[in-house]
Amino acid sequence: FFTKESSPLTTQQKKIAGIALVMVGVVVIAYICSFKMLDRDFWWHIKAGEVMTQTKQLISIEPFAYTREGQPYLATQSWLSEVLLYAIYSVGGVNGIIIFRTLVMIGIFGLFVFLDKKRAWIYAILTAFAGNAAQGAFIERPQLFTFMLFAAFLYLAFIVLEKGLSRNRILWFIALEILWVNMHGAASFLGIVVVGLLALQHAYDIWSTKRKQTLVVWKPWIYLLGGLVGGFFLSPSGYHNVTYIFQLLNDKTIIFINEWQPRELVVYLGEVGLLWIIALVSLWKTRKNFVYCLGLLLVTGYLSRKALRHEVLFVFAAVAV
C-alpha cells in the first residue's frame, strides 16, 4: 500500500483503523439480523413462557394439543428459554425480539474476534461473511441460546488450550452446561463433545511429549467431565435428554421438515465452502492444537451435512479455528 516515500501508519492510526473495521463488522451483522420474525413456533414458545411465568411453575400437563389432552407435557427441554423469550417479548414486543436476536449474533462473533485482539480487524471482516452464512439459523427460538452457549464453550476451550485448565474454568464449564441443559435440553450435549475433544488434545500433548498419563495429570479433567455429565441431567427433562437424542436420530418424520434436511452440496459449498478452506488452511499453516481443531471441524462439519439447521454450528467452529 505504500511507496518508499510514504510514511508507515502510526500505532494510533492502526488502532483507529482496526476499531473502524470492527465497527463496520458490527454494523454488517446488525444489518444481516434486521429481518422480520419468520418462525411460527415462536408463538407457542412464548405462550408456554407466559403460562409458566403466570403460574410460577413448570408445565406438567399438555395445555395446547387436544390430541394429548390430560397427558404429560413433553416439551420441557427449553423451559428457561421460553420464560426468557416471553420476558423479552412482554417488554419489547416484536422489535425487542429482533434486537435480542441481533445482540446474540454480535455477541457470539465478538467472542471469536477477541480471541486474538491484535488481529481483531481481520476477523471482523471474516465474521461479517460468516454472519451472512449463519443468518438462516438466527430465528426466534430456544436455539438462539444454544448458539450463545456453544460459542461460550468454544471460547473457553481456546482459553484452556492457551492457558491450561484451572479450577475457575472447570466451574465455568459446569455452570454453563447446567444453564444450557435448561435452556435447550439435549443440545447441551454439544458442550460435552467440545470438552471431550479438549481431553483428546490433552492426551495427545502428553503422548507427544512422552510424559506419563498419571492420575494427577488427569484429575482436573475427570472432575470437569464428571461435572458436565452430571450437569447434563440437572433439568426437568432429566434422562429424557438422552432418549431424545436417540429418538431424533431414528425419527422418520423429519424427512418432511426442511430444516432437518441437508442442502445440495453445491448450495452448501456456496454458503460455507470458503469457511472450510480458511479453517483448514489456518490449521495446516499453524499445526496448532491440531487434534482439537480438526476434531471440532469434523464433528460440526458432519452435523452441517446432516441438517440445514446445524450448518451454523460449523460456521462458529470454523471462525473460532
Side-chain angles (χ1 to χ4, degrees):
F1 289 98
F2 301 99
T3 64
K4 290 182 180 179
E5 292 77 23
S6 301
S7 298
L9 288 174
T10 65
T11 302
Q12 185 67 18
Q13 287 172 328
K14 288 179 181 179
K15 187 175 180 179
I16 293 171
I19 292 172
L21 282 170
V22 170
M23 293 307 299
V24 168
V26 170
V27 171
V28 169
I29 288 176
Y31 174 74
I32 288 169
C33 275
S34 61
F35 56 89
K36 294 180 180 179
M37 288 173 53
L38 302 174
D39 189 64
R40 283 170 284 189
D41 278 359
F42 169 76
W43 302 106
W44 77 259
H45 281 304
I46 63 164
K47 188 62 181 178
E50 180 183 9
V51 170
M52 287 183 282
T53 299
Q54 291 180 349
T55 62
K56 294 182 172 54
Q57 61 183 12
L58 300 178
I59 300 172
S60 57
I61 303 299
E62 176 61 60
F64 303 127
Y66 73 90
T67 54
R68 289 187 52 81
E69 184 177 0
Q71 296 186 48
Y73 183 59
L74 299 178
T76 58
Q77 71 275 5
S78 53
W79 72 273
L80 187 52
S81 295
E82 290 162 350
V83 169
L84 290 175
L85 286 173
Y86 169 69
I88 295 168
Y89 180 77
S90 63
V91 172
V94 169
N95 289 331
I97 294 295
I98 293 172
I99 291 170
F100 171 69
R101 171 218 294 158
T102 304
L103 292 175
V104 168
M105 185 184 272
I106 291 172
I108 287 170
F109 286 116
L111 276 179
F112 299 146
V113 164
F114 288 101
L115 275 171
D116 186 357
K117 295 179 182 178
K118 291 182 180 179
R119 300 174 182 82
W121 65 273
I122 298 176
Y123 303 127
I125 298 170
L126 175 62
T127 55
F129 169 78
N132 186 62
Q135 180 195 44
F138 273 79
I139 52 179
E140 311 75 33
R141 282 194 192 171
Q143 66 197 52
L144 284 176
F145 297 96
T146 275
F147 300 160
M148 292 168 61
L149 290 160
F150 181 62
F153 261 76
L154 293 182
Y155 180 82
L156 272 175
F158 280 102
I159 296 299
V160 169
L161 289 170
E162 292 292 331
K163 299 180 179 180
L165 185 62
S166 66
R167 182 193 301 176
N168 284 342
R169 292 178 191 125
I170 291 174
L171 294 176
W172 268 110
F173 272 126
I174 295 172
L176 288 172
E177 178 68 20
I178 294 171
L179 177 63
W180 194 350
V181 78
N182 286 281
M183 286 287 192
H184 204 198
S188 63
F189 187 72
L190 285 168
I192 298 175
V193 172
V194 169
V195 173
L197 292 171
L198 268 182
L200 285 177
Q201 179 68 55
H202 181 63
Y204 174 78
D205 291 341
I206 293 173
W207 174 80
S208 62
T209 55
K210 297 181 179 179
R211 288 181 290 162
K212 290 184 178 180
Q213 303 270 3
T214 63
L215 181 60
V216 173
V217 170
W218 280 102
K219 195 173 182 179
W221 291 92
I222 293 170
Y223 289 147
L224 174 55
L225 288 168
L228 290 178
V229 172
F232 184 68
F233 293 94
L234 293 180
S235 80
S237 298
Y239 72 90
H240 290 297
N241 286 324
V242 178
T243 59
Y244 176 78
I245 295 173
F246 289 100
Q247 288 172 358
L248 194 61
L249 294 174
N250 296 290
D251 190 345
K252 305 302 180 184
T253 64
I254 61 175
I255 63 172
F256 302 108
I257 305 173
N258 185 55
E259 66 177 334
W260 284 104
Q261 305 307 307
R263 290 204 259 197
E264 292 183 7
L265 185 60
V266 174
V267 179
Y268 172 82
L269 292 176
E271 287 290 333
V272 300
L274 182 59
L275 289 172
W276 268 109
I277 293 170
I278 292 173
L280 290 173
V281 168
S282 298
L283 189 55
W284 176 72
K285 290 284 286 183
T286 64
R287 306 291 203 280
K288 195 173 183 181
N289 301 314
F290 189 85
V291 172
Y292 171 76
C293 291
L294 183 61
L296 184 64
L297 292 175
L298 291 177
V299 168
T300 56
Y302 171 78
L303 290 174
S304 72
R305 289 302 298 142
K306 295 296 289 183
L308 170 62
R309 68 178 290 165
H310 294 151
E311 283 184 17
V312 67
L313 300 176
F314 171 75
V315 171
F316 295 159
V319 172
V321 168

